Amino acid sequence: MDPITQRAFNSINAAIARDKANEQKILNTYISQNYGWLRQQYASSGAYRTMRFEQFADKKLMANATQPPNNDALANANRIHQQQVDHFNAMQNVTKTQRDAGDALIQNNQRNSDARLNAVDRADQGSIRGNTAYTDPRSGTTQWMPTNAPGQIQTRGGETYVQDRNGNYYQRQGSSWVLVQPAGH
């Protein structure tokens, strides 16, 4: 894995870990504030047969099916509602971080793939076919011309080129010939 991808993954993994820690903190607060009631509900519902206590508490936090007994029902409802909102926001952050990680990975893979394809194309044109890249003086586009074809007329992209004995290419422009530079110069 290249260093840029590794740094991106490290950053994303750190954000996911922070989000999960925040989610766990919210759940722990909910459990500590409602421990007795949650234990009673866990035992009486039979949920202990199919899930761990923490899973049950998480479901209660999200579902809020039954409020624990409290003298101040409105304050308790507001507290539980805020815990649900905090838990939901933490889950949204985890999802966004994971989606961003996926997008970053896709973009990085595309850049790497493009770079490899461009390298293969250059190698194919240059070393396999014996061509050299030249920049069209009119359009600025790259034209691949045979490396060793002195005196032979070449037509590329609707333009006419010829190579002299020294390997220089010229493009016909009207009644004159204009020197064509190798690409990258």
Side-chain angles (χ1 to χ4, degrees), residues 50-82:
T50 60
M51 66 180 78
R52 295 185 334 266
F53 175 71
E54 288 77 18
Q55 290 173 309
F56 175 79
D58 187 55
K59 284 184 179 280
K60 283 294 187 184
L61 173 62
M62 292 312 295
N64 195 18
T66 310
Q67 298 287 331
N70 190 320
N71 291 337
D72 186 5
L74 180 59
N76 191 48
N78 288 337
R79 180 177 45 80
I80 290 174
H81 173 73
Q82 187 58 50

Side-chain angles (χ1 to χ4, degrees), residues 31-108:
I31 290 172
S32 69
Q33 291 175 348
N34 300 289
Y35 185 78
W37 177 80
L38 286 168
R39 273 289 172 196
Q40 183 270 328
Q41 291 292 309
Y42 182 63
S44 67
S45 69
Y48 60 89
R49 291 191 283 270
T50 60
M51 66 180 78
R52 295 185 334 266
F53 175 71
E54 288 77 18
Q55 290 173 309
F56 175 79
D58 187 55
K59 284 184 179 280
K60 283 294 187 184
L61 173 62
M62 292 312 295
N64 195 18
T66 310
Q67 298 287 331
N70 190 320
N71 291 337
D72 186 5
L74 180 59
N76 191 48
N78 288 337
R79 180 177 45 80
I80 290 174
H81 173 73
Q82 187 58 50
Q83 288 170 337
Q84 287 177 319
V85 168
D86 293 346
H87 183 76
F88 175 79
N89 289 336
M91 293 303 294
Q92 290 292 92
N93 286 338
V94 168
T95 300
K96 181 184 182 310
T97 301
Q98 290 170 335
R99 185 175 51 249
D100 290 348
D103 290 346
L105 180 60
I106 289 168
Q107 290 170 359
N108 190 54

